[in-house]
Amino acid sequence: MINKTKELETEKIGKLLLIYALPAVISQVIASVYNLVDRMFLGQCVSALAITGLGITMPVMNIIHAFGSLVGAGSAARMSIVLGRKDERWAEKILGNSMLLTFFFGFLFVSGGYLFMDNILSLFGASADTIGFAREYMIIVLPGMFLTTLTFNLTGLIRASGYPIKAMLILAGGAVLNIVLDALFIYKLNWGIAGAAWATTISMAVSAVFSVWHFVQRSSFIRFRRHAWQPKVYIFRNILMIGISPFSMNLAGSAVVALLNHQLLRYGGDLAVGANVVVNSYASLILMLMLGLCQGMQPIAGYNYGAGHSHRLKDVYVLTMKICVAVGVFGTVTSVCFPALISRMFTTDPDLIDISCLAMPLLLVMAPLIGFTVTNSQFFQSIDKPWIAIVTSLSRQVLFLIPMMFVVPPVFESVGSSGLTGVFASCTICDVLGAALAALLLYSQRKVFAPDYVATVRKSKKEHGPKNYQTQNTDIQITI
């Protein structure tokens, strides 16, 4: 076996997390920054309603990203596990089958998006004043969303196969190109929200080309081969079982955003929806830092889980969790101390700034608990425990937030406060409840850190599908 991933079981955990997490963090932050730039240019150069219109498209794009994460996160985690077992051939089959799934889901969401666009946008809170902006953006960006899912799927596999810096450069290059094109299309050419859509689509096309090229090159550790493109039910199942956690989280997030937008419209109008976009634009930067750290953790945790190194599994979890909580503390301090300064980065509208200053402290005061919850969800996803990851990730959004959005605002109004404050406060309450449940689930699964646990699981589970499968250096036929 080529020693490309050997360091995952020999290098010090702190250094290893730095090697893998830093490129992932940089990629996530830059990706978050170019989303921020989209909104900054629209808010400063177009209007506050343009920001709201863009915000209406976010849940739609989250649904698309949900299908991307269903394949991308599942295939990256599975590849890390099989590489921990020194099985390069099976890793290449995961690569090929993940591409087949990506093309299948891509066709579904692009065609469905065009057929039902207005109905979907209205469902997610578009009003007569904002649906025009949202429609103009979505018509252009839908094909780009397929390229985005393809890029994130392949860069996750690039990272899992031992090339974290290359994955970072591909994502960072696309993000920088997006920023440059935003300035050209929106500021110089006055294309408005269509300019933001074209910038995203073109930049993702470039990133997708470089992602595919990596797996075409002969120098790549894992690459496209003829046998990798044979569809295998076992591989589809294993990918989807792990990917179901981020998929469910993104899908539920879209549904929750739709309900939240309707509640914001009810209690505060279009500007309240816009304020939520402003706050979540900054919150996404904090969340991307956390997710970048967890993406760096994923190949380390998955590989060592597959290799049976429980002590290293615990070390990488604890270190990642501490850093994510520290990032959350930073998010809380900045949002509570400087809400007006952050809001003015996105808009000059005084009413929108006022509502954003109300929302920001409430939505980010519990960011350290969000860091704890995110770490747990990503960790269990990495070690092939999708149902624990699903419950951890969905508890805040589905189990707690949906009922709270309808219960808390009337309570606030009954004590003389505003219902809009109650809508934002319901998110704060759910952050606490979600973290408490995550802690209980972690305690219930503490056995994963026991020295003999991984070895026991490996003996009891059928990991590779058909019994007659054996790793060889030459092409072989695999039957199901």
Side-chain angles (χ1 to χ4, degrees), residues 56-345:
I56 295 299
T57 69
M58 292 298 109
V60 182
M61 291 190 291
N62 282 342
I63 293 176
I64 296 172
H65 286 310
F67 284 97
S69 63
L70 176 64
V71 179
S75 56
R78 175 56 59 180
M79 181 177 285
S80 294
I81 292 172
V82 300
L83 287 176
R85 299 188 175 115
K86 314 298 187 292
D87 199 333
E88 301 148 51
R89 183 181 181 81
W90 199 258
E92 288 179 337
K93 292 184 179 296
I94 291 171
L95 168 65
N97 279 256
S98 72
M99 289 288 287
L100 296 177
L101 287 172
T102 299
F103 288 127
F104 172 73
F105 287 123
F107 171 78
L108 288 183
F109 67 66
V110 171
S111 57
Y114 282 124
L115 286 173
F116 306 105
M117 185 174 297
D118 281 5
N119 292 333
I120 294 171
L121 294 175
S122 297
L123 178 66
F124 286 113
S127 68
D129 295 325
T130 60
I131 195 170
F133 291 107
R135 185 192 303 113
E136 184 178 6
Y137 184 81
M138 288 300 301
I139 286 174
I140 298 168
V141 87
L142 265 177
M145 288 299 98
F146 165 71
L147 296 172
T148 300
T149 58
L150 177 64
T151 299
F152 278 96
N153 177 21
L154 291 179
T155 51
L157 293 173
I158 291 170
R159 188 182 305 109
S161 59
Y163 298 87
I165 294 178
K166 180 177 283 191
M168 176 199 73
L169 291 175
I170 291 172
L171 291 174
V176 171
L177 178 60
N178 192 303
I179 293 171
V180 172
L181 293 178
D182 268 338
L184 175 63
F185 295 159
I186 301 175
Y187 182 70
K188 288 291 186 181
L189 300 180
N190 295 317
W191 286 5
I193 200 167
W198 280 117
T200 298
T201 302
I202 293 172
S203 63
M204 283 298 102
V206 173
S207 294
V209 168
F210 280 100
S211 300
V212 172
W213 178 245
H214 168 83
F215 290 108
V216 174
Q217 294 177 297
R218 290 185 176 272
S219 59
S220 297
F221 172 41
I222 301 296
R223 61 182 183 270
F224 293 122
R225 300 181 194 269
R226 183 180 300 176
H227 72 85
W229 293 95
Q230 298 174 357
K232 298 296 175 184
V233 174
Y234 282 99
I235 301 177
F236 289 158
R237 182 195 64 192
N238 288 338
I239 288 174
L240 298 178
M241 283 299 293
I242 296 179
I244 195 70
S245 171
F247 170 77
S248 301
M249 183 175 63
N250 284 320
L251 202 62
S254 298
V256 169
V257 169
L259 292 173
L260 182 61
N261 283 343
H262 282 289
Q263 288 297 88
L264 291 171
L265 279 170
R266 175 183 176 185
Y267 290 103
D270 284 325
L271 287 183
V273 178
N276 190 52
V277 174
V278 168
V279 176
N280 278 292
S281 298
Y282 179 66
S284 68
L285 182 62
I286 304 301
L287 183 61
M288 289 302 178
L289 283 168
M290 297 174 181
L291 289 176
L293 286 161
C294 291
Q295 284 183 358
M297 171 191 68
Q298 181 267 318
I300 306 170
Y303 187 98
N304 283 283
Y305 177 80
H309 302 315
S310 299
H311 64 288
R312 292 175 65 81
L313 194 64
K314 181 178 180 180
D315 289 346
V316 72
Y317 165 78
V318 171
L319 182 58
T320 305
M321 184 268 291
K322 289 180 178 178
I323 299 174
C324 282
V325 170
V327 170
V329 171
F330 171 80
T332 295
V333 171
T334 53
S335 62
V336 170
C337 296
F338 312 108
L341 179 63
I342 296 171
S343 300
R344 290 192 185 99
M345 296 168 59

